[in-house]
Amino acid sequence: MNPLALLLGRRLANRESQARKIGALEGVPAMGLDALASVAYGPEAALMLLMPLGAAAPTVLGWLLLPIIILLGLLCLSYWQTIQAYRARGGAYVVARENLGVPAGLVAAAALLIDYILNVAVGISAGVGALVSVLPRLHPHMLGLCLVVLAALTLLNLRGTPESGRVLAVPAYAFLACFAGLFAFGLFRAIVAHGNPQPLRAPVPLAAAATSGAGVWLLLRAFASGCTAMTGVEAVSNSMSAFRDPKERHGHRTLGIIVIALGLMLASLAWLVPAYRIGAMAQSRPGYRTVLAQLAGAITGENAFYYVTMASLLAVLVLSANTSFTAFPRLCRNLAQDGYLPESFAIAGRRLEYSIGLLCLAGCAAVLLVAFEGITDRLIPLFAIGAFTGFALSQFGMAAHWRRAWRERDGTRRGHATRLTFNAVGGVVTTAALLVMVVAKFREGAWITLFLMAGGYALLHRIHRYYRKLRVLKGNDATLHAHPASRTAAIVVIERWNRPARDALEFAMGMADEVFALHLARLTGPEQKEPPDLRRRWNANVEVPLRAAGREPPHLRIVEAHYRTLHRPILEWIAELRREDAGLRVAVVLQQQVKQHWLQHLLHAHRAQSLRRHLAHANVPFLAIVIVPWFADADAAPPFPDPHDEAE
Amino acid sequence: MNPLALLLGRRLANRESQARKIGALEGVPAMGLDALASVAYGPEAALMLLMPLGAAAPTVLGWLLLPIIILLGLLCLSYWQTIQAYRARGGAYVVARENLGVPAGLVAAAALLIDYILNVAVGISAGVGALVSVLPRLHPHMLGLCLVVLAALTLLNLRGTPESGRVLAVPAYAFLACFAGLFAFGLFRAIVAHGNPQPLRAPVPLAAAATSGAGVWLLLRAFASGCTAMTGVEAVSNSMSAFRDPKERHGHRTLGIIVIALGLMLASLAWLVPAYRIGAMAQSRPGYRTVLAQLAGAITGENAFYYVTMASLLAVLVLSANTSFTAFPRLCRNLAQDGYLPESFAIAGRRLEYSIGLLCLAGCAAVLLVAFEGITDRLIPLFAIGAFTGFALSQFGMAAHWRRAWRERDGTRRGHATRLTFNAVGGVVTTAALLVMVVAKFREGAWITLFLMAGGYALLHRIHRYYRKLRVLKGNDATLHAHPASRTAAIVVIERWNRPARDALEFAMGMADEVFALHLARLTGPEQKEPPDLRRRWNANVEVPLRAAGREPPHLRIVEAHYRTLHRPILEWIAELRREDAGLRVAVVLQQQVKQHWLQHLLHAHRAQSLRRHLAHANVPFLAIVIVPWFADADAAPPFPDPHDEAE
């Protein structure tokens, strides 16, 4: 059995594509894990920055989460509309390109591509890091674990988005259920205790006095850090092609579930963190516990439920990279369809997934993981900038969209003005958050992201220029010459006289007006001896039967290959033939043994391949290279036609 | 300029081969460094084994070197005759194969191939090890240095044997001159001092009392160890094709110089080591000095001449691997010509060297060096067994040769009987030495060599079987069918209508009786849109002009590629055409864009290549694949015919 079929499943036909589309049930695990997992680090990062405020820090965080939740709502609205307006493709690239122009679209695309790659590396290594801190015995195998997770996710997604959605549904919904229970119980206990619940396991004590005041810059930085909780929300609109009809409804549902779950979790945190007086700890401190671990311990104590909840969080963290695996190949495919990436990115693979994009993502992430030995802390400052660039451009793009729609319809539909306002406000706020991020993290690595974005932009642009130039060179109005002026000559290259040589000669005689046979002497070196009976065999097997049939036999020419290359004497001969007939079509006929076992590649000198390459590169007009394949062991070859051909 | 030309020099023509042959002057450095360098370790290894004899050890070594010198003389005689009898090819493989049968030849070949590879790894790492012990600062770069030496020797030999012979002449003749001077002065001092010269720098003091007696097994082991000084002597007869005419004379001279130099050095050691009372030291002892270093210090003191002498020894040790680089590719070429190795090993490369063999040797040695991190001590027990297997088989082979010659000539020439005796004695002695080696070193690694020899033998045998089977399958008496029964149909695969498509179609119409055009729909996936104007362009550019010219235009067929593969619908169609005409020849015509820059390979989906491979592997009778190459940027391509084509 085909090993690829075993690994990835059978090759799917185009007509099966509808059955391969997903709904919201698979959509949430396939696209939402990044957004859901970010509830674990966004608020924690913000709280960490607020710690100098001492006992006031949790309360300030609570208030700070409010505008973040509002911004999340704005973003959700914006993407809701994007899904409506761009049913088939969607995403920041398409929205920005159509409404703000190609450069804006390419900036959004480059930003998102980089962010998706970083998300895979950072997501996996952060998740594995959390796993290792629970099971320190695994520490030496950190990089190996990261690569195993990466390989598993790649394989899963190569099998298809429906498969990955179904497999990841288990951890995703377990996570949602656990945290819903945890937060509900926490809120219940807080209400029962009149807002002052007693933690069952005490969180880390907070410093009573503030060591510094709550300056505007500190709050802005904490706000920007907290905003990272929103990354991943754009994945749904980038992945619209994954949904089944009606796409719009399934997209809306998926987006809705993700955003509502994320919003509720953030709102619960805004209430519970101050209520249980949770603080953030530096990761380097001994006995480090995450904010969520402290909160869960405070609410339920360290019982079985606590461990299940933490395990589900860990699983979602490790698997959060899957969002990139869903969105990245589809973004690449959109870019490739418009000629901004190589055409291979737009080709549906064995399982109707865009496998080149998938493999490219996995490859880039693997390089990052190996280069940083699985510890990608230094990549975190590079992160989220791409996502927010995408957010901002997508919002402004939608604003421009509604503005145009408003003008075109003469302001008859009032909804447009409201939408325009929402999107413009969202665009301004996300741009502000982006600027705060860039300024705050510029020296720690944000400049690298900006640099990479510029490089990505230039690359996309160059690729597009190449395809545009190629299209012009190919033209599309070449008219056939109805009166072919010239004849066709075939040159059959013969090493020895044998069955493959005869087959090639017969093919040539069936298709050309004139046939020549060419034998190259001393092809392997000055000491090579000639097959002594070539002329005799040629006479007996070619000339005699043809003359008996009244046909003129082709001429056998023996030329010394002074430089041991096949192409040089052939090209010289073609030039000679062309001096007599400038428009003569020449077909060079080669026998090529089909290698039926990979070891055979080592046993042959690959002269036919090398000759084919050299002839093709010689820029000879009116030249064709004819390959007559030949099976040494025809019985061992697959029969023709092959009834069981699995289209491989 | 072509980078390969810069690195290796211009491509040489077959007719230049005579000018590329060498004489004895270049032959000694090119082939002799292994034998000459072994004077440094053979006697030392024997002396080390004799050390338990205390003060008697140097004297015993002196007597032990006598039979070794005699054996060397016998070997020299044997190879002298081999060179005479097998002028063009020579070597243990040819001699054993022709006189003792194919299996003996293959054993000799496998043994020598393994020994040559080991010699490169062990020679370079031992030489670099000696260099590092002089300059300890280089110690961390040991492996790097080994690989640099390997790369330099590879490059030098890829440029050609004459070049390597000329470059290595400097260290080789400096070495000979230094040691001639050293030994002459040492003998002079010894004679002047009536056999009891005073060492200028005292050697390591010898233990006065023997800790054990001189048992037969000890003497045999010391003899076998001392015999390793002879390895490398066979290289001349393996490399006969390198010499210019008269080959025999140049071969004899080279062999003579090498053996006389080696013999004189061994004889000098036999005298000088006891005279100056030199002992061997364990390499692990602090202040370790080699036997030759002690002897040179004792004779001249540590003056400038001493350092020059030691430097020349070091250079010869490091470069002793060159012997393998001369002999290995030529042995491989002999094997490939007889069908025991892939045919590529018999193809003369750019500089008329057998570059595949060279690269294969360098690759194997590099793997060994990297695997053992440049410290190949553990490989030494594996060594020399191959060389002695070659010696023994070559001697017995020559004995059989003279025996046959004697019988055929009815004993009229008495010389044959003498030669037979010499070779038989030589064969018996080398076999005895071989057996002692194998027994003494069996557990330390000699079994690995035997194992590898068996593997090598099996491999050579398998390869030969493949080529023999292939020759039978190809046949050589296939008679042309003088009355071709069938017509030729061409299927032109068209993605869009453009200039390359037109060129391919015109070619097909010039060579086939029937032409069909095929467009495959939804080739990139279920969501692909069709080029909407293909039918319109086909009509305007093909059908209208052809009908106007009174010709029937080819039929354009649009087929859905359900599985996004090109070959499947094409194969189905061929099967369909064959149902009407079972003998129909089918040519599938593909346009292939010639990639003019390596980056272009990333930008295209390589459909033509993939289709070509799939069609070739489908085992369709009477099928040819026609490639019409197409240049996107014909102006940037080389002109045709290219007057400056350097045959690359």
Side-chain angles (χ1 to χ4, degrees), chain B residues 198 221 358 360:
Chain B
Q198 195 54 39
R221 276 171 63 208
L358 266 171
C360 175

Side-chain angles (χ1 to χ4, degrees), chain B residues 168-179:
Chain B
L168 300 184
V170 180
Y173 292 115
F175 167 84
L176 287 179
C178 286
F179 273 82

Side-chain angles (χ1 to χ4, degrees), chain A residues 11-15 17 21 241 333 342-344 346-350 352 354 463 466-467 469-470 473-484 488 497-500 502 505-507 509-511 522 524-527 537 541-542 545-546 549 551 560-565 567-568 571 574-575 585-587 593-595 600 602-605 607 612 614 616-634 637-638 640-641 645-648, chain B residues 11-15 17 21 241 333 342-344 346-350 352 354 463 466-467 469-470 473-484 488 497-500 502 505-507 509-511 522 524-527 537 541-542 545-546 549 551 560-565 567-568 571 574-575 578 585-587 593-595 600 602-605 607 612 614 616-634 637-638 640-641 645-648:
Chain A
R11 182 175 270 266
L12 297 172
N14 282 344
R15 60 177 168 274
S17 76
K21 301 293 182 181
S241 65
R333 178 250 186 169
E343 49 180 338
S344 326
I347 299 177
R350 182 182 188 87
L352 294 169
Y354 300 101
I463 292 174
Y466 172 77
Y467 281 120
K469 189 177 152 202
L470 195 62
L473 285 167
K474 279 184 170 169
N476 55 17
D477 267 318
T479 305
L480 200 76
H481 299 99
H483 299 282
T488 304
W497 182 256
N498 50 26
R499 195 162 69 73
R502 184 205 52 191
L505 189 66
E506 285 184 356
F507 216 108
M509 292 176 67
M511 68 177 211
R522 298 185 194 237
T524 68
E527 280 147 44
R537 286 194 206 285
N541 294 301
V542 180
L546 280 176
R551 294 172 69 191
E560 171 145 0
H562 292 294
Y563 287 91
R564 303 168 299 288
T565 52
H567 65 285
R568 204 174 181 171
L571 289 175
I574 294 175
R585 290 177 211 290
V586 180
Q593 188 187 341
V594 179
K595 312 293 186 291
Q600 283 182 304
L602 297 175
L603 291 162
H604 292 278
R607 287 209 194 83
R612 177 170 52 71
H614 274 114
H617 276 89
N619 194 17
V620 186
F622 314 121
L623 173 82
I625 300 144
V626 181
I627 293 163
V628 183
W630 176 75
F631 276 78
D633 199 354
F640 169 78
D645 176 19
E646 212 244 340
E648 260 323 272
Chain B
R11 181 174 269 267
L12 298 172
N14 282 343
R15 61 179 168 273
S17 76
K21 300 292 182 184
S241 65
R333 179 251 186 167
E343 49 180 338
S344 325
I347 298 178
R350 181 182 188 87
L352 294 169
Y354 300 101
I463 291 174
Y466 171 79
Y467 282 119
K469 190 178 151 203
L470 195 62
L473 284 168
K474 279 183 170 171
N476 56 18
D477 268 318
T479 303
L480 201 76
H481 299 101
H483 300 282
T488 303
W497 181 256
N498 49 28
R499 195 162 68 75
R502 183 204 54 191
L505 188 66
E506 286 184 356
F507 216 108
M509 292 176 68
M511 68 177 211
R522 295 185 196 237
T524 68
E527 280 147 44
R537 286 191 208 285
N541 295 300
V542 181
L546 280 176
R551 295 172 69 192
E560 172 145 0
H562 292 294
Y563 288 90
R564 303 169 298 289
T565 53
H567 65 285
R568 203 174 185 172
L571 288 174
I574 295 174
R578 286 277 165 77
R585 289 176 211 292
V586 180
Q593 188 187 342
V594 179
K595 311 293 185 290
Q600 284 183 302
L602 297 175
L603 290 163
H604 292 278
R607 288 210 193 84
R612 177 171 54 70
H614 274 115
H617 276 89
N619 195 16
V620 185
F622 314 122
L623 173 81
I625 300 143
V626 180
I627 293 163
V628 182
W630 176 77
F631 275 78
D633 197 355
F640 170 80
D645 178 19
E646 213 243 338
E648 261 321 270

Side-chain angles (χ1 to χ4, degrees), chain B residues 53-309:
Chain B
L53 304 181
T59 319
V60 176
L61 177 75
W63 288 108
L64 205 63
L65 284 177
L66 228 68
I68 291 177
I69 295 167
I70 293 170
L71 184 56
L72 178 66
L74 275 177
L75 267 182
C76 173
L77 256 176
S78 158
Y79 281 115
W80 192 274
Q81 293 159 4
T82 309
I83 288 171
Q84 221 160 4
Y86 297 93
R87 211 159 299 177
R89 301 173 79 202
Y93 156 68
V94 175
V95 172
R97 181 166 183 259
E98 307 240 319
N99 298 297
L100 305 175
V102 170
L106 293 188
V107 169
L112 283 179
L113 290 179
I114 292 164
D115 211 58
Y116 284 138
I117 294 172
L118 286 172
N119 180 46
V120 173
V122 173
I124 290 180
S125 69
V128 169
L131 177 69
V132 165
S133 73
V134 179
L135 300 167
R137 259 187 316 167
L138 293 176
H139 200 273
H141 310 295
M142 183 113 178
L143 177 60
L145 282 170
C146 288
L147 294 178
V148 166
V149 172
L150 179 64
L153 281 177
T154 310
L155 203 60
L156 189 59
N157 281 282
L158 281 174
R159 288 189 75 98
T161 306
E163 279 79 2
S164 86
R166 254 170 261 144
V167 170
L168 300 184
V170 180
Y173 292 115
F175 167 84
L176 287 179
C178 286
F179 273 82
L182 177 73
F183 288 155
F185 186 57
L187 292 170
F188 168 76
R189 282 195 55 213
I191 292 165
V192 166
H194 303 290
N196 243 334
Q198 195 54 39
L200 289 181
R201 185 189 192 290
V204 181
L206 291 160
T211 55
S212 77
V216 175
W217 181 233
L218 179 75
L219 290 178
L220 278 177
R221 276 171 63 208
F223 171 74
S225 283
C227 278
T228 56
M230 287 183 285
T231 59
V233 170
E234 83 296 339
V236 178
S237 78
N238 267 320
S239 314
M240 282 306 288
S241 65
F243 289 112
R244 63 171 163 264
D245 291 324
K247 282 183 188 307
E248 197 181 324
R249 195 167 72 205
H250 292 290
H252 278 161
R253 270 192 202 160
T254 307
L255 180 66
I257 295 173
I258 294 171
V259 169
I260 288 171
L262 181 57
L264 283 178
M265 286 199 281
L266 289 177
S268 307
L269 285 179
W271 191 334
L272 294 173
V273 167
Y276 288 85
R277 292 171 300 281
I278 309 289
M281 291 171 75
Q283 252 183 310
S284 49
R285 256 176 65 187
Y288 164 74
R289 290 162 68 211
T290 63
V291 167
L292 284 186
Q294 290 182 56
L295 185 62
I299 293 174
T300 65
E302 290 195 351
N303 54 17
F305 178 73
Y306 168 86
Y307 286 110
V308 171
T309 307

Side-chain angles (χ1 to χ4, degrees), chain A residues 60-333:
Chain A
V60 175
L61 177 75
W63 288 108
L64 206 61
L65 283 177
L66 226 71
I68 292 177
I69 296 169
I70 293 170
L71 184 54
L72 178 66
L74 276 178
L75 269 182
C76 173
L77 255 177
S78 159
Y79 280 114
W80 190 275
Q81 293 160 4
T82 309
I83 290 171
Q84 220 161 2
Y86 298 94
R87 212 159 298 178
R89 303 171 79 204
Y93 157 66
V94 175
V95 172
R97 182 167 181 259
E98 307 240 319
N99 298 296
L100 305 174
V102 169
L106 294 188
V107 169
L112 284 178
L113 290 178
I114 292 164
D115 210 58
Y116 284 138
I117 294 172
L118 285 171
N119 179 47
V120 173
V122 172
I124 291 180
S125 70
V128 170
L131 176 69
V132 165
S133 73
V134 179
L135 299 167
R137 259 187 317 168
L138 293 176
H139 199 274
H141 310 296
M142 182 113 177
L143 177 60
L145 282 171
C146 286
L147 294 178
V148 166
V149 172
L150 180 64
L153 280 177
T154 309
L155 203 62
L156 188 59
N157 280 284
L158 281 174
R159 287 190 75 99
T161 305
E163 279 79 2
S164 86
R166 254 170 260 145
V167 169
L168 300 184
V170 180
Y173 291 116
F175 167 83
L176 286 180
C178 285
F179 272 82
L182 176 73
F183 288 155
F185 186 57
L187 290 170
F188 169 76
R189 281 195 56 212
I191 291 165
V192 165
H194 302 290
N196 245 333
Q198 195 56 36
L200 288 181
R201 185 189 193 289
V204 180
L206 291 160
T211 55
S212 77
V216 174
W217 181 234
L218 179 76
L219 290 178
L220 279 177
R221 277 170 63 209
F223 171 73
S225 283
C227 277
T228 57
M230 288 184 281
T231 59
V233 169
E234 84 294 342
V236 178
S237 78
N238 268 319
S239 314
M240 283 306 289
S241 65
F243 290 112
R244 64 171 162 267
D245 291 326
K247 283 183 186 307
E248 197 181 324
R249 195 166 75 207
H250 292 289
H252 277 161
R253 269 192 203 159
T254 308
L255 181 66
I257 296 173
I258 293 171
V259 169
I260 288 170
L262 181 58
L264 282 178
M265 286 199 282
L266 289 177
S268 307
L269 285 179
W271 188 336
L272 294 172
V273 168
Y276 287 85
R277 292 172 300 281
I278 310 291
M281 289 172 77
Q283 253 185 308
S284 49
R285 258 175 64 186
Y288 165 72
R289 290 161 68 209
T290 62
V291 168
L292 285 185
Q294 289 183 55
L295 185 62
I299 293 174
T300 64
E302 291 195 352
N303 55 15
F305 178 73
Y306 169 85
Y307 287 108
V308 171
T309 307
M310 288 296 109
S312 76
L313 174 62
L314 198 62
V316 166
L317 269 176
V318 170
L319 302 171
S320 67
N322 197 67
T323 300
S324 293
F325 277 102
T326 309
F328 183 92
R330 292 185 166 83
L331 173 56
C332 288
R333 178 250 186 169

Side-chain angles (χ1 to χ4, degrees), chain A residues 223-572:
Chain A
F223 171 73
S225 283
C227 277
T228 57
M230 288 184 281
T231 59
V233 169
E234 84 294 342
V236 178
S237 78
N238 268 319
S239 314
M240 283 306 289
S241 65
F243 290 112
R244 64 171 162 267
D245 291 326
K247 283 183 186 307
E248 197 181 324
R249 195 166 75 207
H250 292 289
H252 277 161
R253 269 192 203 159
T254 308
L255 181 66
I257 296 173
I258 293 171
V259 169
I260 288 170
L262 181 58
L264 282 178
M265 286 199 282
L266 289 177
S268 307
L269 285 179
W271 188 336
L272 294 172
V273 168
Y276 287 85
R277 292 172 300 281
I278 310 291
M281 289 172 77
Q283 253 185 308
S284 49
R285 258 175 64 186
Y288 165 72
R289 290 161 68 209
T290 62
V291 168
L292 285 185
Q294 289 183 55
L295 185 62
I299 293 174
T300 64
E302 291 195 352
N303 55 15
F305 178 73
Y306 169 85
Y307 287 108
V308 171
T309 307
M310 288 296 109
S312 76
L313 174 62
L314 198 62
V316 166
L317 269 176
V318 170
L319 302 171
S320 67
N322 197 67
T323 300
S324 293
F325 277 102
T326 309
F328 183 92
R330 292 185 166 83
L331 173 56
C332 288
R333 178 250 186 169
N334 286 345
L335 286 164
Q337 278 188 330
D338 297 343
Y340 291 101
L341 277 182
E343 49 180 338
S344 326
F345 283 91
I347 299 177
R350 182 182 188 87
R351 302 285 290 175
L352 294 169
E353 295 297 321
Y354 300 101
S355 24
I356 298 291
L358 267 171
L359 292 171
C360 176
L361 176 67
C364 290
V367 167
L368 281 181
L369 284 172
V370 171
F372 289 84
E373 289 175 358
I375 303 156
T376 50
D377 281 358
R378 265 174 293 168
L379 293 179
I380 290 177
L382 280 67
F383 195 44
I385 291 171
F388 269 75
T389 308
F391 286 165
L393 285 169
S394 147
Q395 302 255 31
F396 284 127
M398 284 313 287
H401 175 81
W402 298 129
R403 188 158 152 263
R404 210 177 47 221
W406 190 24
R407 282 194 181 164
E408 279 168 9
R409 303 199 180 190
D410 246 346
T412 43
R413 276 184 64 188
R414 284 214 40 218
H416 288 166
T418 326
R419 285 165 177 162
L420 195 162
T421 316
F422 273 135
N423 285 134
V425 171
V428 170
V429 179
T430 41
T431 308
L434 175 64
L435 286 177
V436 173
M437 272 181 208
V438 170
V439 173
K441 302 178 183 174
F442 189 80
R443 296 184 67 182
E444 291 157 61
W447 65 272
I448 301 174
T449 309
L450 296 181
F451 187 76
L452 289 176
M453 272 166 58
Y457 178 90
L459 183 69
L460 297 173
H461 192 73
R462 284 292 300 264
I463 292 174
H464 189 64
R465 213 172 61 188
Y466 172 77
Y467 281 120
R468 215 172 39 207
K469 189 177 152 202
L470 195 62
R471 211 169 45 232
V472 172
L473 285 167
K474 279 184 170 169
N476 55 17
D477 267 318
T479 305
L480 200 76
H481 299 99
H483 299 282
S486 259
R487 297 155 57 77
T488 304
I491 298 177
V492 186
V493 183
I494 285 173
E495 201 175 339
R496 286 160 195 276
W497 182 256
N498 50 26
R499 195 162 69 73
R502 184 205 52 191
D503 293 350
L505 189 66
E506 285 184 356
F507 216 108
M509 292 176 67
M511 68 177 211
D513 304 308
E514 289 168 275
V515 177
F516 306 94
L518 175 67
H519 171 79
L520 290 169
R522 298 185 194 237
L523 197 53
T524 68
E527 280 147 44
Q528 190 191 358
K529 289 182 194 65
E530 285 321 300
D533 44 7
L534 180 62
R535 282 223 178 265
R536 188 184 62 69
R537 286 194 206 285
W538 179 264
N539 181 49
N541 294 301
V542 180
E543 290 175 337
V544 169
L546 280 176
R547 289 227 171 84
R551 294 172 69 191
E552 186 59 28
H555 177 64
L556 170 66
R557 184 168 179 172
I558 298 185
V559 173
E560 171 145 0
H562 292 294
Y563 287 91
R564 303 168 299 288
T565 52
L566 285 155
H567 65 285
R568 204 174 181 171
I570 293 175
L571 289 175
E572 281 167 6

